[in-house]
Amino acid sequence: MTTPTPSSGEASSRNWLFMAVAAFLTIAAGIGTFMWQSGGLVAPGGGEAAKDADSAAAAAGFDTKDKAAIEAIVRAYILENPEIIPEAVQKLQGKQAAKRIASVRGAVETPFAASYAGNPDGDVVLVEYSDFACGFCRQSVSDVARLVSEDKNLKVVFHELPILSDESRVAAAWGMAAAQQGKYYAFYKAMFGAGRPAQATIEQAAKTAGLDMAAARTFVASKQAEEVIDANIRIAQQLEFSGTPSWVIGNKVLNGAVGYDELKAAIDEARAAKKSVS
């Protein structure tokens, strides 16, 4: 079988294509660095990316005029199609989030005791990190209930992330005590329904959920309760949550009261991804 030999014109076109890619990466690296710096964070390596592109161009035999011409073409394209920049940044952020989730997936998708709702053997796991003092978390309770009701193959795992007050940390410990008694979801709904965490509302929620109050108080005072909460906070920092509620589904992190539709779409996406792999 004979392999065709490219003409000089084809080779030149390929070289120009190579330079276009290199120039695009150089410009994108500069834009990315600017965007990170504007947000108060400096992305390391932006200058190195430009140097790498220069080195690659020199190694390929391109002179300064070639590189300048390609950069001008790519710059014009970016200016005429600026939407590619946020698209590229979003894709990069998605890849970074997936990598971070992969490193802690086991801990994230494993509930403390029985702190879950829905199908315990569900094919997709939606994880919520919430604070009982969080109004946006309270707003999401009905979304979770609807998802659990409609999707019989969904498992929702709850993790306590009490960051708003000392009282919310106490309520979180009571939530875990409820999980130990197999009554977490009942407490979750009762606590959010009772109002902001305080001694009276916490006890009201615990009684509504049917907890053994003496056993619950023993756990709340235990070192284990503090350790689990601290571990949740460390994972939240690692996954770069911006507040509560925060959700983990498949390879995505969603921040805030995103609503039923966005949660449902993320669940469907995670389920489709699992099916495509299996």
Side-chain angles (χ1 to χ4, degrees):
M1 181 177 180
T2 303
T3 303
T5 302
S7 67
S8 59
E10 290 173 334
S12 177
S13 296
R14 291 180 183 178
N15 288 339
W16 277 86
L17 178 60
F18 170 83
M19 268 305 295
V21 173
F24 175 79
L25 292 176
T26 300
I27 295 171
I31 293 173
T33 301
F34 172 77
M35 292 177 70
W36 277 98
Q37 289 173 337
S38 298
L41 297 172
V42 177
E48 292 301 320
K51 291 177 183 177
D52 289 345
D54 288 340
S55 298
F62 294 99
D63 60 25
T64 304
K65 290 182 179 180
D66 291 332
K67 184 173 182 294
I70 293 297
E71 287 182 344
I73 294 170
V74 175
R75 181 178 184 276
Y77 180 82
I78 291 174
L79 291 176
E80 292 173 4
N81 302 273
E83 66 275 7
I84 67 172
I85 298 302
E87 287 174 8
V89 171
Q90 185 176 14
K91 188 170 184 178
L92 174 61
Q93 290 174 336
K95 287 183 177 180
Q96 291 172 334
K99 187 175 181 180
R100 288 191 294 266
I101 292 170
S103 68
V104 292
R105 187 178 299 280
V108 168
E109 294 187 349
T110 301
F112 173 79
S115 54
Y116 65 86
N119 186 341
D121 300 313
D123 64 336
V124 172
V125 180
L126 172 66
V127 184
E128 178 185 5
Y129 284 78
S130 61
D131 185 323
F132 285 116
C134 168
F136 292 109
C137 301
R138 183 176 296 107
Q139 181 180 322
S140 300
V141 172
S142 59
D143 297 325
V144 171
R146 182 179 173 187
L147 290 166
V148 169
S149 173
E150 293 178 352
D151 190 338
K152 300 306 180 183
N153 211 16
L154 174 68
K155 180 179 182 179
V156 181
V157 170
F158 303 95
H159 288 298
E160 308 303 327
L161 190 59
I163 56 177
L164 297 178
S165 67
D166 291 339
E167 290 78 11
S168 62
R169 193 174 178 100
V170 174
W174 276 85
M176 289 186 289
Q180 283 196 323
Q181 298 181 30
K183 299 177 179 179
Y184 179 85
Y185 193 42
F187 178 83
Y188 168 92
K189 292 183 287 186
M191 187 67 243
F192 277 121
R196 289 186 63 84
Q199 182 176 350
T201 56
I202 292 171
E203 290 195 5
Q204 175 188 334
K207 291 175 181 177
T208 299
L211 268 61
D212 178 327
M213 300 297 284
R217 288 193 179 94
T218 298
F219 175 81
V220 169
S222 71
K223 186 177 180 181
Q224 184 182 12
E226 294 292 317
E227 290 173 344
V228 173
I229 291 172
D230 289 341
N232 289 347
I233 291 173
R234 286 193 296 271
I235 287 179
Q237 292 169 338
Q238 186 171 343
L239 295 182
E240 300 184 0
F241 293 162
S242 61
T244 54
S246 284
W247 315 82
V248 180
I249 173 66
N251 289 323
K252 278 189 172 182
V253 170
L254 303 175
N255 290 296
V258 297
Y260 168 86
D261 289 339
E262 190 165 346
L263 291 173
K264 179 68 165 58
I267 291 167
D268 292 344
E269 183 180 334
R271 181 168 285 136
K274 290 189 72 172
K275 287 181 179 178
S276 67
V277 172
S278 59

